[in-house]
Amino acid sequence: MKFVLNIMLLAGAAPLASAGVTMHRSGLTARVPTNFQKRKGVLGSMSSKLSRRPMQVPHADASLTFELIGAGVLGAAAWGIAKSTAKEPASVAPAVPAAPAQLAPAKTSAPAKKPSMAELILEGGMAQKTPKYYAKQYPSKKLDELFAGNKKWSENMMSNKPELMEKLGSMQEPKIMYIGCADSRVPESMITGMNPGEIFTIRNVANQAQISDNAVNSAIQFGVLALGVEDIMVCGHYGCGGAKASLTNQDFGAPLEQWIGPIRDVYRTHREYLDGLPEADRLNALIELNTVEQCLNVLRTAPVQQKRAETAKQPGGPIPRVHAVVYDPATGLLKDMNVDTDKLFATYKDLYDLKIEA
């Protein structure tokens, strides 16, 4: 029914719209276009605004008159039918609220545990894909030799020292920390005959313990405060390439140039002594002096001073003890330089003591 009424309304409104008449719900009113007024000359000077009076049908054009009347009748009829057929909303009796059902009390459960980041990744919760690796295109014969040697070593250790290997699988208890050069000729465990797990190691070019180097400082902190090492050994070696480079005036570029700079400072500090030596002896003398200087740097660190303050009154003196040693690749021998690093540090205590109390 509403569809038919809409058709009738459109049928009545269309001719009126084409003639410039606008229809409103309060009744039929007209807005007569300006060109129509000028063409027919019926309304005279009447403006094109909405007329408040009944519209006068031009008598000069009968067809237009009947067209307007017919459109008005159709529109009015459609509007009247729409009003008469509109249904009032039926009155609905208020609903009586039903008595609440006796429901069993809901069971309260603990909130679900939020998975950790590791669990999400392992379970694929973060859409992580296993990286795809490819077989090496250029195998290395030396690497094959290395793995073959490791296999023999492992078989020998598992056969002769199974208890040690089982222990190493879960813990380490090193009592010595070794700060040495990265030179391939100085493998600390091999040259000392120590077992795995007995030496906590950090190696770099020219066995440096620079105060600004986080790698060395974090290793010292972990070794001293977490592992409880009792002796720290700074090991230089004769023929060190880093020390040799520092004796030249060549710029090696960053970061190597900045790394060997402190060794040049060691030479400057002891220049009178070094310049008085034969040129052939200067390099090894500089290596020894640099090793002692790195011992001093170790004693300057906060973890070492903290631990030594805590153990100052124990028998045997404070720990960790710091030692300067040098290795000779030509003979395979380690030499203790027999330097009392405690007295050395006491010389500069007013500069480097951090005043840490136990």
Short mmCIF file of all heavy atoms in Angstrom, two decimals, residues 202-272:
data_model
loop_
_atom_site.label_atom_id
_atom_site.label_comp_id
_atom_site.label_asym_id
_atom_site.label_seq_id
_atom_site.Cartn_x
_atom_site.Cartn_y
_atom_site.Cartn_z
N ILE A 202 89.16 -13.38 28.71
CA ILE A 202 88.83 -12.34 27.74
C ILE A 202 90.10 -11.99 26.99
O ILE A 202 91.17 -11.82 27.59
CB ILE A 202 88.21 -11.09 28.40
CG1 ILE A 202 87.81 -10.09 27.32
CG2 ILE A 202 89.15 -10.46 29.41
CD1 ILE A 202 86.89 -8.99 27.80
N ARG A 203 89.99 -11.92 25.67
CA ARG A 203 91.17 -11.65 24.84
C ARG A 203 90.84 -10.56 23.82
O ARG A 203 89.72 -10.48 23.30
CB ARG A 203 91.59 -12.93 24.10
CG ARG A 203 92.05 -14.03 25.05
CD ARG A 203 92.26 -15.36 24.35
NE ARG A 203 93.38 -15.30 23.40
CZ ARG A 203 93.80 -16.35 22.69
NH1 ARG A 203 93.22 -17.53 22.84
NH2 ARG A 203 94.81 -16.22 21.85
N ASN A 204 91.83 -9.73 23.55
CA ASN A 204 91.70 -8.68 22.55
C ASN A 204 93.09 -8.31 22.03
O ASN A 204 94.08 -8.92 22.44
CB ASN A 204 90.96 -7.45 23.13
CG ASN A 204 91.63 -6.92 24.37
OD1 ASN A 204 92.85 -6.75 24.43
ND2 ASN A 204 90.83 -6.63 25.41
N VAL A 205 93.17 -7.34 21.16
CA VAL A 205 94.46 -6.94 20.61
C VAL A 205 95.31 -6.29 21.70
O VAL A 205 94.90 -5.33 22.34
CB VAL A 205 94.26 -5.96 19.42
CG1 VAL A 205 95.61 -5.43 18.94
CG2 VAL A 205 93.52 -6.65 18.29
N ALA A 206 96.48 -6.88 21.93
CA ALA A 206 97.49 -6.34 22.86
C ALA A 206 97.05 -6.36 24.32
O ALA A 206 97.43 -5.50 25.10
CB ALA A 206 97.90 -4.93 22.45
N ASN A 207 96.23 -7.35 24.68
CA ASN A 207 95.82 -7.59 26.09
C ASN A 207 95.49 -6.30 26.84
O ASN A 207 96.02 -6.02 27.91
CB ASN A 207 96.88 -8.39 26.86
CG ASN A 207 98.30 -7.87 26.72
OD1 ASN A 207 98.98 -8.19 25.76
ND2 ASN A 207 98.76 -7.07 27.69
N GLN A 208 94.56 -5.52 26.27
CA GLN A 208 94.20 -4.24 26.86
C GLN A 208 93.05 -4.39 27.86
O GLN A 208 92.10 -5.16 27.64
CB GLN A 208 93.75 -3.26 25.77
CG GLN A 208 94.81 -2.98 24.73
CD GLN A 208 95.67 -1.81 25.11
OE1 GLN A 208 96.24 -1.75 26.20
NE2 GLN A 208 95.77 -0.85 24.22
N ALA A 209 93.12 -3.64 28.96
CA ALA A 209 92.03 -3.53 29.92
C ALA A 209 91.65 -2.06 30.04
O ALA A 209 91.76 -1.45 31.10
CB ALA A 209 92.44 -4.10 31.28
N GLN A 210 91.21 -1.52 28.94
CA GLN A 210 90.92 -0.09 28.90
C GLN A 210 89.69 0.23 29.74
O GLN A 210 88.69 -0.49 29.72
CB GLN A 210 90.71 0.37 27.45
CG GLN A 210 91.95 0.24 26.58
CD GLN A 210 91.73 0.77 25.18
OE1 GLN A 210 90.74 1.43 24.89
NE2 GLN A 210 92.67 0.48 24.29
N ILE A 211 89.76 1.34 30.46
CA ILE A 211 88.68 1.74 31.35
C ILE A 211 87.38 1.99 30.60
O ILE A 211 86.29 1.79 31.11
CB ILE A 211 89.09 3.00 32.15
CG1 ILE A 211 90.28 2.69 33.05
CG2 ILE A 211 87.93 3.53 32.99
CD1 ILE A 211 90.02 1.61 34.08
N SER A 212 87.48 2.41 29.34
CA SER A 212 86.29 2.75 28.55
C SER A 212 85.73 1.56 27.78
O SER A 212 84.73 1.71 27.08
CB SER A 212 86.63 3.87 27.55
OG SER A 212 87.68 3.46 26.68
N ASP A 213 86.34 0.39 27.91
CA ASP A 213 85.91 -0.77 27.13
C ASP A 213 84.89 -1.58 27.92
O ASP A 213 85.21 -2.23 28.92
CB ASP A 213 87.12 -1.63 26.79
CG ASP A 213 86.73 -2.84 25.94
OD1 ASP A 213 85.68 -2.78 25.27
OD2 ASP A 213 87.46 -3.85 25.97
N ASN A 214 83.64 -1.58 27.47
CA ASN A 214 82.58 -2.30 28.18
C ASN A 214 82.76 -3.81 28.12
O ASN A 214 82.29 -4.52 29.02
CB ASN A 214 81.22 -1.92 27.61
CG ASN A 214 80.78 -0.54 28.04
OD1 ASN A 214 81.21 -0.05 29.07
ND2 ASN A 214 79.92 0.09 27.26
N ALA A 215 83.39 -4.31 27.07
CA ALA A 215 83.60 -5.76 26.98
C ALA A 215 84.49 -6.24 28.12
O ALA A 215 84.18 -7.23 28.80
CB ALA A 215 84.23 -6.11 25.62
N VAL A 216 85.60 -5.55 28.33
CA VAL A 216 86.50 -5.92 29.42
C VAL A 216 85.86 -5.67 30.78
O VAL A 216 85.89 -6.53 31.67
CB VAL A 216 87.83 -5.14 29.31
CG1 VAL A 216 88.69 -5.35 30.56
CG2 VAL A 216 88.60 -5.58 28.07
N ASN A 217 85.25 -4.52 30.95
CA ASN A 217 84.67 -4.17 32.24
C ASN A 217 83.52 -5.07 32.65
O ASN A 217 83.38 -5.43 33.82
CB ASN A 217 84.21 -2.71 32.23
CG ASN A 217 85.38 -1.74 32.20
OD1 ASN A 217 86.43 -2.01 32.78
ND2 ASN A 217 85.22 -0.62 31.52
N SER A 218 82.68 -5.46 31.70
CA SER A 218 81.59 -6.38 32.02
C SER A 218 82.12 -7.76 32.37
O SER A 218 81.58 -8.45 33.24
CB SER A 218 80.59 -6.46 30.87
OG SER A 218 81.22 -6.90 29.68
N ALA A 219 83.19 -8.19 31.68
CA ALA A 219 83.80 -9.48 32.01
C ALA A 219 84.42 -9.45 33.41
O ALA A 219 84.31 -10.42 34.17
CB ALA A 219 84.86 -9.84 30.97
N ILE A 220 85.08 -8.35 33.76
CA ILE A 220 85.64 -8.22 35.10
C ILE A 220 84.53 -8.24 36.15
O ILE A 220 84.62 -8.92 37.18
CB ILE A 220 86.47 -6.93 35.20
CG1 ILE A 220 87.75 -7.04 34.36
CG2 ILE A 220 86.82 -6.62 36.66
CD1 ILE A 220 88.56 -5.76 34.29
N GLN A 221 83.46 -7.52 35.89
CA GLN A 221 82.34 -7.48 36.83
C GLN A 221 81.74 -8.87 37.04
O GLN A 221 81.50 -9.28 38.18
CB GLN A 221 81.27 -6.52 36.33
CG GLN A 221 80.06 -6.40 37.24
CD GLN A 221 79.02 -5.45 36.70
OE1 GLN A 221 79.17 -4.89 35.62
NE2 GLN A 221 77.96 -5.23 37.45
N PHE A 222 81.51 -9.58 35.97
CA PHE A 222 80.92 -10.92 36.07
C PHE A 222 81.89 -11.89 36.73
O PHE A 222 81.50 -12.69 37.59
CB PHE A 222 80.52 -11.42 34.68
CG PHE A 222 79.82 -12.75 34.71
CD1 PHE A 222 78.51 -12.85 35.14
CD2 PHE A 222 80.48 -13.91 34.32
CE1 PHE A 222 77.86 -14.07 35.17
CE2 PHE A 222 79.84 -15.13 34.35
CZ PHE A 222 78.52 -15.22 34.78
N GLY A 223 83.15 -11.83 36.32
CA GLY A 223 84.12 -12.76 36.87
C GLY A 223 84.35 -12.57 38.35
O GLY A 223 84.45 -13.53 39.12
N VAL A 224 84.43 -11.30 38.78
CA VAL A 224 84.74 -11.01 40.18
C VAL A 224 83.52 -11.16 41.08
O VAL A 224 83.58 -11.82 42.13
CB VAL A 224 85.32 -9.59 40.30
CG1 VAL A 224 85.47 -9.17 41.77
CG2 VAL A 224 86.67 -9.51 39.59
N LEU A 225 82.39 -10.56 40.70
CA LEU A 225 81.22 -10.53 41.57
C LEU A 225 80.31 -11.74 41.43
O LEU A 225 79.64 -12.12 42.40
CB LEU A 225 80.43 -9.24 41.32
CG LEU A 225 81.20 -7.93 41.53
CD1 LEU A 225 80.28 -6.74 41.31
CD2 LEU A 225 81.82 -7.88 42.92
N ALA A 226 80.26 -12.34 40.27
CA ALA A 226 79.36 -13.49 40.07
C ALA A 226 80.10 -14.82 40.22
O ALA A 226 79.63 -15.72 40.92
CB ALA A 226 78.69 -13.40 38.69
N LEU A 227 81.24 -14.95 39.55
CA LEU A 227 81.96 -16.22 39.59
C LEU A 227 82.91 -16.32 40.79
O LEU A 227 83.28 -17.42 41.20
CB LEU A 227 82.76 -16.42 38.29
CG LEU A 227 81.93 -16.51 37.01
CD1 LEU A 227 82.85 -16.65 35.79
CD2 LEU A 227 80.95 -17.66 37.07
N GLY A 228 83.32 -15.18 41.31
CA GLY A 228 84.20 -15.19 42.47
C GLY A 228 85.63 -15.59 42.16
O GLY A 228 86.27 -16.31 42.95
N VAL A 229 86.17 -15.11 41.03
CA VAL A 229 87.57 -15.43 40.72
C VAL A 229 88.47 -14.80 41.77
O VAL A 229 88.19 -13.73 42.31
CB VAL A 229 87.96 -14.94 39.30
CG1 VAL A 229 87.13 -15.64 38.25
CG2 VAL A 229 87.81 -13.42 39.19
N GLU A 230 89.56 -15.48 42.08
CA GLU A 230 90.46 -15.03 43.14
C GLU A 230 91.74 -14.40 42.59
O GLU A 230 92.40 -13.64 43.30
CB GLU A 230 90.81 -16.20 44.06
CG GLU A 230 89.58 -16.78 44.76
CD GLU A 230 89.94 -17.97 45.64
OE1 GLU A 230 91.13 -18.38 45.63
OE2 GLU A 230 89.04 -18.49 46.32
N ASP A 231 92.09 -14.72 41.34
CA ASP A 231 93.31 -14.18 40.74
C ASP A 231 92.99 -13.70 39.33
O ASP A 231 92.32 -14.41 38.55
CB ASP A 231 94.40 -15.23 40.68
CG ASP A 231 94.91 -15.63 42.06
OD1 ASP A 231 95.79 -14.93 42.60
OD2 ASP A 231 94.39 -16.63 42.62
N ILE A 232 93.46 -12.51 39.01
CA ILE A 232 93.33 -11.97 37.66
C ILE A 232 94.73 -11.84 37.08
O ILE A 232 95.59 -11.16 37.64
CB ILE A 232 92.63 -10.60 37.66
CG1 ILE A 232 91.21 -10.72 38.23
CG2 ILE A 232 92.57 -10.02 36.25
CD1 ILE A 232 90.46 -9.40 38.32
N MET A 233 94.94 -12.50 35.96
CA MET A 233 96.25 -12.52 35.32
C MET A 233 96.18 -11.75 34.01
O MET A 233 95.43 -12.11 33.10
CB MET A 233 96.66 -13.98 35.05
CG MET A 233 98.01 -14.13 34.39
SD MET A 233 98.54 -15.87 34.33
CE MET A 233 97.29 -16.59 33.27
N VAL A 234 96.94 -10.66 33.92
CA VAL A 234 97.07 -9.92 32.66
C VAL A 234 98.32 -10.44 31.98
O VAL A 234 99.42 -10.36 32.53
CB VAL A 234 97.17 -8.41 32.90
CG1 VAL A 234 97.30 -7.68 31.56
CG2 VAL A 234 95.95 -7.89 33.66
N CYS A 235 98.13 -10.99 30.78
CA CYS A 235 99.23 -11.68 30.09
C CYS A 235 99.57 -10.99 28.78
O CYS A 235 98.77 -10.99 27.83
CB CYS A 235 98.85 -13.14 29.84
SG CYS A 235 100.15 -14.09 29.02
N GLY A 236 100.77 -10.41 28.72
CA GLY A 236 101.31 -9.92 27.45
C GLY A 236 102.15 -11.02 26.81
O GLY A 236 102.37 -12.07 27.39
N HIS A 237 102.58 -10.78 25.60
CA HIS A 237 103.47 -11.76 24.96
C HIS A 237 104.46 -11.04 24.07
O HIS A 237 104.15 -10.01 23.45
CB HIS A 237 102.65 -12.79 24.16
CG HIS A 237 102.02 -12.23 22.92
ND1 HIS A 237 102.63 -12.29 21.69
CD2 HIS A 237 100.83 -11.59 22.74
CE1 HIS A 237 101.84 -11.72 20.80
NE2 HIS A 237 100.74 -11.29 21.40
N TYR A 238 105.66 -11.57 24.03
CA TYR A 238 106.72 -10.98 23.22
C TYR A 238 106.35 -11.07 21.74
O TYR A 238 105.74 -12.04 21.28
CB TYR A 238 108.05 -11.67 23.50
CG TYR A 238 108.54 -11.48 24.92
CD1 TYR A 238 109.05 -12.56 25.66
CD2 TYR A 238 108.52 -10.22 25.50
CE1 TYR A 238 109.51 -12.36 26.96
CE2 TYR A 238 108.98 -10.03 26.79
CZ TYR A 238 109.46 -11.09 27.53
OH TYR A 238 109.90 -10.91 28.81
N GLY A 239 106.76 -10.06 21.00
CA GLY A 239 106.45 -10.01 19.57
C GLY A 239 105.02 -9.59 19.28
O GLY A 239 104.50 -9.87 18.19
N CYS A 240 104.37 -8.92 20.22
CA CYS A 240 102.97 -8.53 20.05
C CYS A 240 102.82 -7.54 18.89
O CYS A 240 103.50 -6.50 18.85
CB CYS A 240 102.44 -7.90 21.34
SG CYS A 240 100.75 -7.28 21.23
N GLY A 241 101.94 -7.85 17.95
CA GLY A 241 101.74 -6.99 16.78
C GLY A 241 101.10 -5.67 17.13
O GLY A 241 101.41 -4.64 16.50
N GLY A 242 100.21 -5.65 18.13
CA GLY A 242 99.57 -4.40 18.52
C GLY A 242 100.57 -3.43 19.11
O GLY A 242 100.55 -2.23 18.80
N ALA A 243 101.46 -3.93 19.97
CA ALA A 243 102.49 -3.06 20.55
C ALA A 243 103.47 -2.58 19.48
O ALA A 243 103.90 -1.42 19.49
CB ALA A 243 103.23 -3.82 21.65
N LYS A 244 103.78 -3.46 18.55
CA LYS A 244 104.69 -3.09 17.46
C LYS A 244 104.09 -1.99 16.60
O LYS A 244 104.79 -1.06 16.17
CB LYS A 244 105.00 -4.32 16.62
CG LYS A 244 106.05 -4.09 15.55
CD LYS A 244 106.37 -5.39 14.82
CE LYS A 244 107.44 -5.18 13.77
NZ LYS A 244 107.77 -6.45 13.05
N ALA A 245 102.77 -2.07 16.35
CA ALA A 245 102.10 -1.05 15.54
C ALA A 245 102.14 0.31 16.23
O ALA A 245 102.22 1.36 15.58
CB ALA A 245 100.66 -1.46 15.25
N SER A 246 102.09 0.30 17.55
CA SER A 246 102.07 1.57 18.28
C SER A 246 103.40 2.31 18.19
O SER A 246 103.46 3.52 18.45
CB SER A 246 101.72 1.33 19.75
OG SER A 246 102.79 0.69 20.42
N LEU A 247 104.45 1.60 17.83
CA LEU A 247 105.77 2.23 17.72
C LEU A 247 105.96 2.95 16.39
O LEU A 247 106.96 3.64 16.20
CB LEU A 247 106.87 1.18 17.89
CG LEU A 247 107.01 0.58 19.30
CD1 LEU A 247 108.05 -0.53 19.30
CD2 LEU A 247 107.38 1.66 20.31
N THR A 248 105.04 2.81 15.48
CA THR A 248 105.15 3.47 14.18
C THR A 248 104.36 4.77 14.19
O THR A 248 103.54 5.03 15.08
CB THR A 248 104.61 2.56 13.06
OG1 THR A 248 103.18 2.45 13.20
CG2 THR A 248 105.23 1.18 13.14
N ASN A 249 104.61 5.58 13.17
CA ASN A 249 103.84 6.81 13.00
C ASN A 249 102.71 6.65 11.97
O ASN A 249 102.18 7.62 11.46
CB ASN A 249 104.76 7.94 12.55
CG ASN A 249 105.74 8.34 13.64
OD1 ASN A 249 105.41 8.29 14.82
ND2 ASN A 249 106.95 8.73 13.25
N GLN A 250 102.35 5.43 11.71
CA GLN A 250 101.31 5.14 10.71
C GLN A 250 99.93 5.25 11.34
O GLN A 250 99.71 4.82 12.48
CB GLN A 250 101.52 3.73 10.14
CG GLN A 250 100.48 3.34 9.09
CD GLN A 250 100.74 1.95 8.53
OE1 GLN A 250 101.80 1.37 8.78
NE2 GLN A 250 99.78 1.42 7.80
N ASP A 251 99.00 5.83 10.57
CA ASP A 251 97.60 5.89 11.01
C ASP A 251 96.90 4.64 10.50
O ASP A 251 96.72 4.45 9.29
CB ASP A 251 96.93 7.15 10.44
CG ASP A 251 95.47 7.28 10.88
OD1 ASP A 251 95.01 6.43 11.66
OD2 ASP A 251 94.81 8.24 10.43
N PHE A 252 96.47 3.77 11.40
CA PHE A 252 95.83 2.51 11.01
C PHE A 252 94.32 2.64 10.84
O PHE A 252 93.66 1.68 10.45
CB PHE A 252 96.15 1.42 12.04
CG PHE A 252 97.61 1.06 12.08
CD1 PHE A 252 98.46 1.67 12.99
CD2 PHE A 252 98.13 0.14 11.19
CE1 PHE A 252 99.82 1.35 13.03
CE2 PHE A 252 99.47 -0.19 11.23
CZ PHE A 252 100.32 0.42 12.15
N GLY A 253 93.78 3.80 11.11
CA GLY A 253 92.35 4.00 10.92
C GLY A 253 91.54 3.44 12.08
O GLY A 253 92.00 2.58 12.83
N ALA A 254 90.32 3.96 12.19
CA ALA A 254 89.42 3.52 13.28
C ALA A 254 88.89 2.12 12.97
O ALA A 254 88.69 1.75 11.81
CB ALA A 254 88.25 4.49 13.40
N PRO A 255 88.69 1.29 13.99
CA PRO A 255 88.92 1.61 15.41
C PRO A 255 90.30 1.19 15.93
O PRO A 255 90.61 1.41 17.09
CB PRO A 255 87.84 0.80 16.11
CG PRO A 255 87.72 -0.43 15.25
CD PRO A 255 87.93 0.03 13.82
N LEU A 256 91.11 0.57 15.07
CA LEU A 256 92.40 0.07 15.54
C LEU A 256 93.29 1.19 16.04
O LEU A 256 93.99 1.04 17.06
CB LEU A 256 93.11 -0.71 14.43
CG LEU A 256 94.46 -1.35 14.78
CD1 LEU A 256 94.31 -2.32 15.95
CD2 LEU A 256 95.07 -2.04 13.57
N GLU A 257 93.27 2.32 15.36
CA GLU A 257 94.12 3.44 15.77
C GLU A 257 93.77 3.90 17.19
O GLU A 257 94.66 4.16 18.01
CB GLU A 257 93.97 4.60 14.78
CG GLU A 257 94.84 5.80 15.06
CD GLU A 257 96.32 5.47 15.05
OE1 GLU A 257 96.75 4.59 14.26
OE2 GLU A 257 97.07 6.10 15.83
N GLN A 258 92.48 4.00 17.48
CA GLN A 258 92.08 4.40 18.83
C GLN A 258 92.43 3.32 19.86
O GLN A 258 92.72 3.63 21.01
CB GLN A 258 90.56 4.68 18.88
CG GLN A 258 90.14 5.97 18.22
CD GLN A 258 89.99 5.84 16.72
OE1 GLN A 258 90.30 4.81 16.14
NE2 GLN A 258 89.50 6.89 16.07
N TRP A 259 92.41 2.07 19.42
CA TRP A 259 92.66 0.97 20.35
C TRP A 259 94.13 0.92 20.80
O TRP A 259 94.40 0.67 21.98
CB TRP A 259 92.25 -0.36 19.70
CG TRP A 259 92.36 -1.52 20.63
CD1 TRP A 259 93.33 -2.48 20.64
CD2 TRP A 259 91.49 -1.84 21.70
NE1 TRP A 259 93.11 -3.38 21.65
CE2 TRP A 259 91.99 -3.00 22.32
CE3 TRP A 259 90.32 -1.24 22.21
CZ2 TRP A 259 91.36 -3.59 23.42
CZ3 TRP A 259 89.70 -1.83 23.30
CH2 TRP A 259 90.21 -2.98 23.89
N ILE A 260 95.04 1.18 19.88
CA ILE A 260 96.46 1.10 20.26
C ILE A 260 96.98 2.44 20.79
O ILE A 260 98.13 2.52 21.24
CB ILE A 260 97.33 0.64 19.06
CG1 ILE A 260 97.30 1.69 17.94
CG2 ILE A 260 96.91 -0.73 18.58
CD1 ILE A 260 98.21 1.36 16.78
N GLY A 261 96.14 3.47 20.76
CA GLY A 261 96.55 4.78 21.27
C GLY A 261 97.06 4.73 22.71
O GLY A 261 98.09 5.35 23.02
N PRO A 262 96.38 4.02 23.64
CA PRO A 262 96.87 3.96 25.02
C PRO A 262 98.26 3.34 25.14
O PRO A 262 98.99 3.65 26.10
CB PRO A 262 95.81 3.11 25.73
CG PRO A 262 94.56 3.34 24.95
CD PRO A 262 95.01 3.45 23.53
N ILE A 263 98.64 2.46 24.18
CA ILE A 263 100.00 1.89 24.25
C ILE A 263 101.01 2.98 23.92
O ILE A 263 102.11 3.02 24.51
CB ILE A 263 100.13 0.70 23.28
CG1 ILE A 263 99.02 -0.31 23.52
CG2 ILE A 263 101.49 0.02 23.44
CD1 ILE A 263 99.04 -1.50 22.57
N ARG A 264 100.68 3.86 23.00
CA ARG A 264 101.55 5.01 22.73
C ARG A 264 101.68 5.89 23.98
O ARG A 264 102.75 6.46 24.24
CB ARG A 264 100.99 5.81 21.56
CG ARG A 264 101.10 5.12 20.21
CD ARG A 264 100.86 6.11 19.08
NE ARG A 264 101.12 5.51 17.79
CZ ARG A 264 100.19 5.23 16.88
NH1 ARG A 264 98.92 5.50 17.15
NH2 ARG A 264 100.50 4.69 15.72
N ASP A 265 100.59 5.98 24.75
CA ASP A 265 100.66 6.76 25.99
C ASP A 265 101.60 6.10 27.00
O ASP A 265 102.28 6.80 27.76
CB ASP A 265 99.26 6.90 26.60
CG ASP A 265 98.34 7.74 25.73
OD1 ASP A 265 98.85 8.55 24.93
OD2 ASP A 265 97.10 7.59 25.85
N VAL A 266 101.62 4.78 27.00
CA VAL A 266 102.56 4.07 27.88
C VAL A 266 104.00 4.41 27.49
O VAL A 266 104.87 4.65 28.36
CB VAL A 266 102.32 2.54 27.83
CG1 VAL A 266 103.42 1.79 28.59
CG2 VAL A 266 100.95 2.20 28.40
N TYR A 267 104.27 4.42 26.19
CA TYR A 267 105.61 4.79 25.73
C TYR A 267 105.95 6.21 26.16
O TYR A 267 107.07 6.49 26.62
CB TYR A 267 105.70 4.66 24.21
CG TYR A 267 107.12 4.71 23.68
CD1 TYR A 267 107.76 3.56 23.25
CD2 TYR A 267 107.83 5.92 23.62
CE1 TYR A 267 109.06 3.59 22.78
CE2 TYR A 267 109.13 5.97 23.16
CZ TYR A 267 109.75 4.79 22.74
OH TYR A 267 111.05 4.83 22.29
N ARG A 268 104.98 7.12 26.02
CA ARG A 268 105.23 8.51 26.41
C ARG A 268 105.57 8.61 27.90
O ARG A 268 106.48 9.35 28.31
CB ARG A 268 104.01 9.38 26.08
CG ARG A 268 104.10 10.80 26.61
CD ARG A 268 102.87 11.60 26.21
NE ARG A 268 101.63 10.93 26.55
CZ ARG A 268 101.09 10.92 27.76
NH1 ARG A 268 101.70 11.53 28.77
NH2 ARG A 268 99.95 10.32 27.97
N THR A 269 104.85 7.85 28.74
CA THR A 269 105.08 7.88 30.18
C THR A 269 106.48 7.40 30.53
O THR A 269 107.13 7.92 31.45
CB THR A 269 104.02 7.03 30.90
OG1 THR A 269 102.72 7.51 30.56
CG2 THR A 269 104.20 7.09 32.41
N HIS A 270 106.95 6.40 29.80
CA HIS A 270 108.27 5.80 30.10
C HIS A 270 109.28 6.09 28.99
O HIS A 270 110.18 5.29 28.75
CB HIS A 270 108.11 4.28 30.28
CG HIS A 270 107.13 3.90 31.35
ND1 HIS A 270 107.46 3.89 32.68
CD2 HIS A 270 105.82 3.52 31.26
CE1 HIS A 270 106.39 3.51 33.38
NE2 HIS A 270 105.39 3.28 32.55
N ARG A 271 109.14 7.19 28.34
CA ARG A 271 109.95 7.47 27.16
C ARG A 271 111.45 7.54 27.49
O ARG A 271 112.28 7.02 26.74
CB ARG A 271 109.50 8.77 26.51
CG ARG A 271 110.22 9.07 25.22
CD ARG A 271 109.53 10.14 24.42
NE ARG A 271 110.12 10.24 23.08
CZ ARG A 271 109.58 10.96 22.10
NH1 ARG A 271 108.47 11.65 22.31
NH2 ARG A 271 110.15 11.01 20.93
N GLU A 272 111.79 8.14 28.57
CA GLU A 272 113.21 8.28 28.92
C GLU A 272 113.86 6.91 29.08
O GLU A 272 114.98 6.68 28.59
CB GLU A 272 113.36 9.09 30.21
CG GLU A 272 114.80 9.36 30.60
CD GLU A 272 114.92 10.21 31.84
OE1 GLU A 272 113.88 10.72 32.33
OE2 GLU A 272 116.06 10.38 32.34
#
